[in-house]
Amino acid sequence: MTGRTSRLGFGVAVFVAGAVLLGLEIAASRVLAPFFGSSLYVWGALIGVVLTGLSIGYWLGGAVADRVPSPLLMLGALGLGAAGVLAIPFVDDPVLEAIVRWDPGPRADPLVAAIVLFGPPSVVLATVSPIAVRLVTRSVTTLGRSAGRLFAISTAGSIAGTFATAFWLVPDYGTDQLLGFGAAALFAAATLFALAQRLVLPSLVGLAALAVAAVAAVALAPEAGGTLSGVEARNWSPLYRLQRERTASEPVASSDLKVVFRKESRYHRITVADDTESRYLRFDSSFQSGMMLGHPFRTRFRYTDCLDLGLAYEPSARDVLFIGPGGGSAPKRFWRDMPRLRIQVAELDPVVVDVARRYFALPRSPRLRVAVEDGRRYLDRHSERWDVIVIDAFYADSIPFHLTTREFLELVHERLRPGGVVVVNVVGALAGPDSRLFRSLARTYGSVFPTVVVHPVKEAGDTGDIDVRNLILVASDRPPPATSFLAERWQRMRRANPLLPDLGGAIRDRAPGVIRTDDVPLLADDYAPTDALLLD
């Protein structure tokens, strides 16, 4: 083989190792999300663990290569790294479920998981570049040039792996299959390197391993069938340690749920699953929507009905905007129950829109339009005004912070007509240690709207203000009407539109008094610690 062929083998090896390592970091977020969400803690754990792996791997690779400067060392690093990546889809569920049962805390949970699952392959893959530098260096006079060239190639591979994974591979293939492809790419690089070094037996071994990894990648392709594991079905993530065992937004799953659709989108790991009576939409680690099978307009969760409070506070509403509709339970009820309404939906994820229409009977109608766009960007780009704006884009384990800040609410205020109201669904508590996020939101809304009231969605077993539940916050420029007047007006509306839900209890349960907000931060674009408020 020529020197050029040998250099090509080294270049391919370090390029592929860099690409797989950064692709692994991005894919790792989707592996952890169903159990720990996608908070800053998750991303901080992943980035920290991978950087630590790089640091250890660079040192270890250089030290071992000085002692054993052999091409077999490079083959061993590539092969061991490939095996570590390929093992992740097969061991991640038991490892993550064990960490869930242990539950060392909201920061430690994703950190421990990242160390166990992604630390070892990160260290091994990081050794490839320093090993390559040692093997190609023939003279001290060319050491700098050789090291610079190979680390530049490795970095180029990392750039390519980052873009390819985030923009194409995860949305098109799913996380498990992506990891299988990564392992196959490493085995292919090892085979090419062995051929370039005229190592016949290692070449044959590499080809066999490549075939195994390719078969595994095909076998790991996402399927619609199957069931959610017990931990997934019951949503026992440690993120819910602040909540009671079941909230209003969480299904009661006495047995495993049957998966009817599963897909990795650009934003979520999306699952549609059925039990004997209901269908659920799940994003990562939290359930978002529900529908009664055979009765698509019957609401599965009580809080969905309570979003109609926007119509109770603004009975003359004609135009309604929904930000974050999930499976579309509330928009389709508004569409059916109030034929005079014109409804606009802003949903960031096109896959969610498709799922809402295919699996949750979201109607196609001129009165119900859907824009695939972030809610804040939609309001910024469109000057229309609305009578009611409904925000239901907050997850139980992660908050899109840009939809919580004073600057966002000032934009919302500008897009409301005189007398208009904004209705927000939040999971939290009115008082106690689990109330900090909600009370920060209440303070922020109060900085923009003169009137802010809250209607707790009460369920059987509630004991008081410290319970975590769905809280419906209503904000407007008008003074709030008395609950007796509001209930009477809603009854008149129900007589005219019998399909409207009974909100008598929700109206009477409006929280009295003023919510304490002096000990929580006002949320702004430059300071919105939503993850800390939610999880600490």
Side-chain angles (χ1 to χ4, degrees), residues 136-346:
V136 301
T137 300
R138 295 291 180 265
S139 169
V140 174
T141 59
T142 61
L143 175 60
R145 185 186 310 165
S146 298
R149 181 174 65 249
L150 288 172
F151 275 98
I153 293 172
S154 175
T155 302
S158 297
I159 295 169
T162 298
F163 286 128
T165 301
F167 290 0
W168 294 289
L169 295 178
V170 168
D172 289 347
Y173 294 103
T175 303
D176 289 348
Q177 196 175 21
L178 166 63
L179 295 172
F181 287 151
L186 288 168
F187 282 128
T191 303
L192 179 61
F193 179 81
L195 290 172
Q197 298 296 318
R198 299 183 178 180
L199 301 172
V200 178
L201 182 58
S203 300
L204 296 176
V205 173
L207 287 173
L210 172 61
V212 171
V215 171
V218 174
L220 290 168
E223 298 179 359
T227 61
L228 295 178
S229 69
V231 169
E232 287 184 291
R234 287 184 289 273
N235 224 2
W236 284 350
S237 165
L239 294 172
Y240 292 85
R241 77 195 195 292
L242 301 181
Q243 302 184 21
R244 63 188 183 192
E245 185 171 348
R246 181 178 66 85
T247 70
S249 60
E250 196 176 328
V252 180
S254 58
S255 60
D256 288 346
L257 301 175
K258 179 182 178 182
V259 175
V260 297
F261 176 84
R262 178 179 285 156
K263 183 176 176 62
E264 300 273 0
S265 77
R266 287 173 287 178
Y267 308 100
H268 312 285
R269 174 179 285 189
I270 298 171
T271 304
V272 178
D274 292 352
D275 61 20
T276 56
E277 296 180 347
S278 306
R279 171 165 292 170
Y280 305 102
L281 174 64
R282 175 188 171 103
F283 295 168
D284 299 324
S285 65
S286 60
F287 289 89
Q288 295 301 309
S289 298
M291 180 183 76
M292 305 299 294
L293 292 173
H295 304 278
F297 288 97
R298 282 179 58 190
T299 50
R300 176 60 180 81
F301 302 125
R302 174 62 176 158
Y303 84 87
T304 306
D305 289 340
C306 293
L307 296 178
D308 281 54
L309 286 166
L311 302 178
Y313 279 89
E314 178 52 296
S316 61
R318 291 293 185 274
D319 294 288
V320 179
L321 171 66
F322 281 87
I323 295 176
S329 299
K332 70 185 181 185
R333 279 294 303 269
F334 274 53
W335 174 84
R336 186 200 67 170
D337 296 351
M338 298 287 282
R340 71 166 188 256
L341 292 179
R342 296 179 291 266
I343 301 162
Q344 175 69 56
V345 170

Side-chain angles (χ1 to χ4, degrees), residues 311-393:
L311 302 178
Y313 279 89
E314 178 52 296
S316 61
R318 291 293 185 274
D319 294 288
V320 179
L321 171 66
F322 281 87
I323 295 176
S329 299
K332 70 185 181 185
R333 279 294 303 269
F334 274 53
W335 174 84
R336 186 200 67 170
D337 296 351
M338 298 287 282
R340 71 166 188 256
L341 292 179
R342 296 179 291 266
I343 301 162
Q344 175 69 56
V345 170
E347 167 55 52
L348 178 64
D349 194 335
V351 179
V352 172
V353 176
D354 181 59
V355 165
R357 284 176 169 153
R358 290 174 57 192
Y359 295 99
F360 291 88
L362 183 68
R364 296 179 183 271
S365 167
R367 287 197 304 111
L368 202 166
R369 300 171 295 164
V370 178
V372 179
E373 194 167 7
D374 173 76
R376 181 164 177 171
R377 181 170 173 79
Y378 181 89
L379 287 173
D380 190 51
R381 285 163 48 89
H382 297 81
S383 60
E384 294 97 323
R385 294 201 169 196
W386 309 92
D387 301 301
V388 178
I389 295 178
V390 180
I391 301 173
D392 190 15

Side-chain angles (χ1 to χ4, degrees), residues 50-72:
V50 171
L51 288 176
T52 301
L54 284 170
S55 178
I56 296 173
Y58 288 156
W59 170 82
L60 183 63
V64 175
D66 280 342
R67 290 178 175 271
V68 189
S70 167
L72 293 177

